[in-house]
Amino acid sequence: MPNRFFRFIPILIACMGISAYAAHAAEMDGMSMPAPFVAVARATVTDAVDVKRYTGHISTTSSVDLVARVSGELLRVGFEEGDIVTEGQILYELDDTRYQAEVKNVEARIAESEAKLTYARQRHDRAKNLFDSRADTREAYDSAESEFKASQAALLAAEAQLIAVRDDLENTRIIAPLTGKIGVTNYTRGNYLTPNSGIIATIVQVDPLRVSFAMSNKDYLSLFGSEEELKARSRIQLRLADDSVYEYEGRVKFLDNQASQKTDAIRVFAEFDNPDGKLVPGSAVTVLLARRNGGTNTAVMPSAVMHDAGSAYVYVMGEDNQAQRREVTLGFATGGLQTIVSGLEPGEFVVVDGTHKVVPGSPIEPDYVDAALADGRGE
């Protein structure tokens, strides 16, 4: 009997262990794990557009090569190389001593010509009165009239010369004809400049700038169909060398007047504001050209979208703050947002940060954020 009792002791102990584990499991099952804290944003809406990508080249809309129009010693350079100069700013000053003297000399000639003209007019008037009263000959009158007209011509010639010498005097100061960025100066103070000295410096307009790109005739006709439609319905953005999207949208200004015979592409010219100098003339960019269709697409922060081998998906917060996986079809990326063609409706809340902590079907603790903050459009 005792031996038979001890034979059942291991079985009894095992049963007690199983019972204790079951009780502990039941206790743990009754305890709820804390919901993970994640960022949640509302799905928004954006224009429904189709996006094409092209390689674009940045150029200036205006540039000026500065040259000397008169000769003289360079007395002052009024800028630092690489400055943004403004229209009307004095950039170079040449020695103007000789030109001031020429102006004074011509002004003196004008005064002399005016005095001679006054005398010739009086003599002409006396000769005419005498001729009309038959007190003098025709020859005397003709001589007086000839002298009068010669004096008029001499005054006009002096006045014309004054315009020329004053222009020369003004050209001793080389003034910026436009606002833009000035490059390297080829001459410094002390050099003697002449009209044959060549280019002194170049000013390039940098705000706004022009971006040109070649769009296939097929894209042009299928997306827009006319230049007016392209200007009215297009949305044009730039992707820069660091893969960021330029913050200012462009404006299509015009199309080239003919397509390329080799590529059947037509060149489009757009204008972009460049207040911060991010765009540099001569560099290349990626042009994102879109057509505004007038409809709307759902859009979310890009961080809300995840991928697996089968599809793209997001976590949607439903009733009782439970997160559910939702498969979606992606559209284009625009303005810092990812558009969703199907699978999500505007106004639904999706997890945008902390997706690795989400368990489908389990509750989450939401921290609400504004989707517009994704691209700096909200506060």
Side-chain angles (χ1 to χ4, degrees):
M1 179 69 180
N3 292 335
R4 294 173 61 186
F5 174 76
F6 287 115
R7 189 181 303 161
F8 288 102
I9 289 178
I11 299 174
L12 180 62
I13 293 173
C15 290
M16 292 175 62
I18 294 173
S19 177
Y21 176 79
H24 177 70
E27 181 181 356
M28 292 300 293
D29 185 61
M31 296 175 60
S32 59
M33 298 296 290
F37 193 75
V38 296
V40 173
R42 189 189 300 272
T44 60
V45 294
T46 187
D47 286 349
V49 295
D50 300 317
V51 176
K52 298 289 185 178
R53 289 170 171 79
Y54 308 96
T55 298
H57 298 279
I58 302 174
S59 63
T60 181
T61 58
S62 182
S63 66
V64 174
D65 292 329
L66 302 175
V67 296
R69 301 176 68 179
V70 296
S71 300
E73 181 185 352
L74 180 56
L75 300 181
R76 188 177 78 89
V77 177
F79 63 91
E80 296 291 333
E81 294 172 325
D83 277 354
I84 298 295
V85 297
T86 57
E87 182 177 351
Q89 179 180 340
I90 299 175
L91 304 177
Y92 297 94
E93 289 188 53
L94 305 182
D95 184 9
D96 64 355
T97 304
R98 179 165 61 90
Y99 299 99
Q100 287 190 25
E102 289 180 357
V103 169
K104 293 293 184 182
N105 182 47
V106 176
E107 287 176 343
R109 287 177 55 191
I110 288 177
E112 180 183 4
S113 297
E114 287 175 341
K116 288 182 177 180
L117 178 61
T118 300
Y119 173 76
R121 180 182 293 110
Q122 293 172 350
R123 187 170 179 272
H124 171 268
D125 292 343
R126 286 195 300 269
K128 186 176 186 303
N129 290 332
L130 292 172
F131 176 73
D132 290 342
S133 63
R134 300 180 183 276
D136 205 348
T137 64
R138 177 77 187 195
E139 181 180 0
Y141 170 69
D142 290 344
S143 176
E145 186 175 30
S146 175
E147 184 182 351
F148 173 60
K149 290 183 177 179
S151 298
Q152 285 182 317
L155 178 59
L156 290 174
E159 289 174 342
Q161 188 175 7
L162 181 61
I163 293 173
V165 295
R166 281 179 174 173
D167 184 59
D168 286 344
L169 179 60
E170 290 180 2
N171 285 329
T172 60
R173 299 188 307 169
I174 299 175
I175 296 174
L178 56 81
T179 297
K181 188 172 185 177
I182 195 165
V184 175
T185 178
N186 294 319
Y187 294 93
T188 55
R189 183 176 178 270
N191 284 275
Y192 190 85
L193 300 183
T194 73
N196 296 323
S197 295
I199 296 173
I200 305 174
T202 300
I203 303 175
V204 174
Q205 182 174 307
V206 293
D207 185 24
L209 285 177
R210 176 178 294 163
V211 175
S212 63
F213 60 95
M215 178 171 60
S216 69
N217 202 30
K218 177 182 177 182
D219 287 348
Y220 171 64
L221 294 175
S222 62
L223 290 177
F224 303 102
S226 69
E227 184 172 352
E228 291 73 20
E229 191 76 358
L230 174 63
K231 292 178 179 179
R233 303 296 292 272
S234 64
R235 178 180 185 179
I236 182 167
Q237 296 176 287
L238 300 178
R239 189 174 295 280
L240 306 181
D242 62 356
D243 208 35
S244 64
V245 175
Y246 187 55
E247 57 263 45
Y248 298 100
E249 291 188 15
R251 305 168 294 276
V252 173
K253 302 299 289 185
F254 66 95
L255 302 181
D256 205 351
N257 57 7
Q258 58 184 345
S260 169
Q261 294 183 356
K262 295 181 179 180
T263 62
D264 193 33
I266 186 168
R267 187 155 293 276
V268 181
F269 296 87
E271 194 173 84
F272 285 81
D273 293 330
N274 189 36
D276 303 323
K278 278 188 177 182
L279 303 182
V280 180
S283 58
V285 291
T286 298
V287 177
L288 307 176
L289 179 65
R291 175 186 170 85
R292 303 179 190 272
N293 289 331
T296 56
N297 274 346
T298 306
V300 296
M301 292 183 182
S303 59
V305 181
M306 292 160 289
H307 301 266
D308 59 17
S311 62
Y313 63 95
V314 297
Y315 285 128
V316 179
M317 185 180 71
E319 295 182 0
D320 300 326
N321 291 354
Q322 287 191 345
Q324 301 293 338
R325 171 179 165 140
R326 183 85 62 79
E327 293 188 357
V328 294
T329 302
L330 301 181
F332 56 90
T334 178
L337 297 174
Q338 173 64 57
T339 59
I340 306 296
V341 176
S342 63
L344 189 67
E345 295 297 327
E348 293 189 282
F349 285 97
V350 295
V351 178
V352 297
D353 190 20
T355 53
H356 61 285
K357 298 184 288 185
V358 176
V359 177
S362 299
I364 56 175
E365 185 68 29
D367 175 23
Y368 296 97
V369 297
D370 186 353
L373 294 177
D375 63 342
R377 294 175 295 165
E379 292 292 334

